[in-house]
Amino acid sequence: MKRYRLSVCKGMDCKANGSNAVFAAAQEELASRGLAPRCEAYRGGCYGFCHMGPNVVIREDTGRKKDPLSPEDYQLMGWPGEVYYSRMTPERMRRVVAEHVAQDAPVREFYGDPDEGP
């Protein structure tokens, strides 16, 4: 089974659009499904896609040591296994945890397009 790092944006626009509830739903769903040991959920910085928020980024945890100076907490890195979700709601987040994290099956219909304009 894969391990993941799930980041929910904590920028002002994403917070105004409900990212606190999205993060709470992620934590609750991970705990209720017993997935917390294999998926770290945290609050990332602003990814710059404010008009598409709340934004969530999920990356495979490959065991590489986290660099505290890395921009991964506030930008897409283009790494294999990285998925960017936009316009997230608590309901969408629960589905992402159930499918992406629990079954290693990303939910393509929720993918964000970083090139989409405001």
Side-chain angles (χ1 to χ4, degrees):
M1 293 236 114
K2 295 178 181 177
R3 296 180 53 80
Y4 295 99
R5 296 188 77 234
L6 182 156
S7 171
V8 178
C9 181
K10 64 180 177 185
M12 289 178 18
D13 288 335
C14 282
K15 276 187 175 180
N17 287 322
S19 71
N20 288 342
V22 169
F23 184 66
Q27 290 182 305
E28 291 165 8
E29 196 69 15
L30 289 167
S32 71
R33 292 178 174 273
L35 296 169
R38 58 178 271 246
C39 183
E40 174 190 2
Y42 66 100
R43 299 304 298 262
C46 177
Y47 289 95
F49 309 119
C50 307
H51 62 288
M52 295 169 53
N55 297 294
V56 173
V57 176
I58 298 182
R59 296 184 177 103
E60 285 184 45
D61 183 348
T62 61
R64 75 180 164 276
K65 187 175 179 183
K66 183 158 172 20
D67 176 355
L69 301 176
S70 171
E72 71 182 272
D73 286 343
Y74 57 87
Q75 78 180 45
L76 299 178
M77 303 300 289
W79 293 338
E82 176 182 81
V83 175
Y84 161 58
Y85 293 107
S86 65
R87 296 180 176 85
M88 294 300 287
T89 64
E91 295 75 25
R92 285 179 169 215
M93 189 74 258
R94 288 184 190 93
R95 182 170 167 204
V96 165
V97 169
E99 295 180 25
H100 189 150
V101 177
Q103 300 174 22
D104 300 323
V107 184
R108 293 189 183 279
E109 68 190 81
F110 299 160
Y111 280 17
D113 179 359
D115 295 326
E116 182 180 309

